Amino acid sequence: MIEFCGISLEHRIVNGSGTFDAIAARRAFGDAIYEQFPFAAFVSKTVTLAPREGNPPPRLWELPGGLINSIGLPNKGLEGYLLEDLPQLAELSVPLIVNVMGSTREDVARLVGAFAERDEVAAIELNVSCPNVKTGLIMGADPSELAALLDHVRPHAAKPLIVKLTPNCAAPADVAAAAEEHGADAVSLINTLRGMAMDPHRPGEPWLGGGTGGVSGPAVRAIALSQVREVRERVSLPIVGMGGVQSGHHATDLRRVGADLVAVGTESFRDPLAARRIADEASSLEEAFPANAARGVGVVRL
Ligand SMILES: Cc1cc2nc3c(=O)[nH]c(=O)nc-3n(C[C@H](O)[C@H](O)[C@H](O)COP(=O)(O)O)c2cc1C
């Protein structure tokens, strides 16, 4: 067992928010998937206050090295989630981390406050990739905007708060430092990188219904490695590292640059049970090279 923000986990592999639907997986694979869950904790897709339809189709474009998605965070909203999804997810055999997003500090505080009261929820992840409608600033791209958000939200939750950093900003490490100074318990990174694809049949038009989307998968692995390393050099908070992880080697690489946990995202679309293989491969590697896998040890200084 390992410990993350006071939560006991069986191993270090979790899922990236929005990339594994535990409820749909149970429908497809039966109860066995809940009993032998591939992830050490389940991170929900983003929940917003009001229900959202998501973006118009098409919502996915396959790249040679991954995906661009423009899903647009469809979800049932807070009330729908509490009523319909939470009771089902409470039956999971692993801790539940709920990911939330709001477009004002007050909205985020309401979401955090609602989940902080629920025993079924072990921790809350803040998706801060959204612009604050009042300031126009992307909440997670600007250190002072994030600091103000955390000052507002922190008093609403005694539970661990994980800030999910966006890679679409000048200095993610500055944002991570603001998160640490203003009460976050952990940071997670990277979220998707903004990208677009052109429609092969309509010259000059974007393929995705949302115009642009988020790039994920092997294409972003090198960026994830460098950003996790940069953040580790600035903060001592626990880090959930993710971006293009497909194997135990990739997970161990993220561990060696400073991640405490590793999330698997896009790879689960190819193989929903990939996380179990990755966890086994990573723990064999960590057993073989324990010193290298420890946080901050073995970071190559160039
Ligand atoms: C289809 C899809 C949906 C996603 N939905 C969310 C989401 O709802 N909330 C969020 O914080 N991140 C979301 N992400 C980002 C992932 O959690 C993860 O940060 C990113 O994909 C990088 O990891 P990967 O390369 O292993 O996929 C989504 C990614 C994909 C591909």
Side-chain angles (χ1 to χ4, degrees):
M1 292 295 265
I2 60 132
E3 210 201 281
F4 171 78
C5 295
I7 307 164
S8 295
L9 301 177
E10 266 188 34
H11 56 82
R12 296 183 185 273
I13 307 293
V14 299
N15 64 296
S17 169
T19 63
F20 190 92
D21 183 336
I23 295 171
R26 190 188 202 178
R27 268 199 306 271
F29 298 108
D31 289 345
I33 191 97
Y34 266 33
E35 284 144 25
Q36 294 192 317
F37 204 59
F39 306 100
F42 178 64
V43 183
S44 80
K45 64 186 170 192
T46 296
V47 182
T48 53
L49 262 187
R52 283 170 62 106
E53 297 255 311
N55 287 335
R59 289 173 163 186
L60 284 179
W61 174 265
E62 192 176 344
L63 292 170
L67 285 179
I68 312 180
N69 88 81
S70 141
I71 309 284
L73 308 176
N75 76 98
K76 298 172 181 169
L78 176 62
E79 290 309 316
Y81 189 88
L82 290 174
L83 215 63
E84 294 171 28
D85 288 4
L86 196 57
Q88 297 187 63
L89 295 173
E91 292 174 17
L92 280 167
S93 53
V94 298
L96 171 65
I97 300 174
V98 176
N99 176 303
V100 300
M101 189 182 84
S103 48
T104 63
R105 289 167 200 157
E106 294 74 22
D107 282 5
V108 182
R110 277 184 61 195
L111 286 155
V112 165
F115 287 117
E117 286 177 0
R118 304 299 297 242
D119 291 341
E120 304 93 320
V121 177
I124 300 166
E125 183 174 61
L126 304 181
N127 177 354
V128 289
S129 298
C130 172
N132 180 333
V133 288
K134 291 187 184 155
T135 64
L137 295 170
I138 307 276
M139 294 188 185
D142 179 81
S144 53
E145 178 74 24
L146 184 76
L149 175 71
L150 281 172
D151 290 347
H152 195 82
V153 163
R154 182 73 266 189
H156 293 267
K159 288 190 198 293
L161 279 183
I162 306 163
V163 173
K164 183 155 183 187
L165 302 172
T166 171
N168 299 308
C169 71
D174 289 352
V175 180
E180 180 163 60
E181 279 159 32
H182 291 264
D185 296 288
V187 290
S188 53
L189 71 155
I190 60 174
N191 208 323
T192 54
L193 282 136
R194 200 173 309 113
M196 78 182 286
M198 303 310 289
D199 188 330
H201 309 294
R202 295 182 305 143
E205 295 297 319
W207 169 259
L208 294 167
T212 60
V215 181
S216 65
V220 308
R221 195 162 56 234
I223 298 158
L225 265 178
S226 87
Q227 293 204 0
V228 168
R229 177 184 159 168
E230 199 182 316
V231 168
R232 170 50 69 223
E233 286 175 349
R234 281 291 292 284
V235 304
S236 55
L237 288 178
I239 295 176
V240 187
M242 70 195 92
V245 171
Q246 295 180 294
S247 70
H249 275 284
H250 300 153
T252 308
D253 283 349
L254 279 171
R255 291 267 297 131
R256 287 177 181 155
V257 295
D260 296 80
L261 300 185
V262 172
V264 174
T266 301
E267 185 64 5
S268 297
F269 289 106
R270 193 157 60 169
D271 171 7
L273 300 181
R276 192 173 299 155
R277 166 183 56 81
I278 293 169
D280 288 346
E281 289 169 4
S283 49
S284 310
L285 283 165
E286 293 201 11
E287 270 167 34
F289 307 104
N292 282 349
R295 184 204 296 188
V297 179
V299 174
V300 183
R301 310 242 165 223
L302 301 174

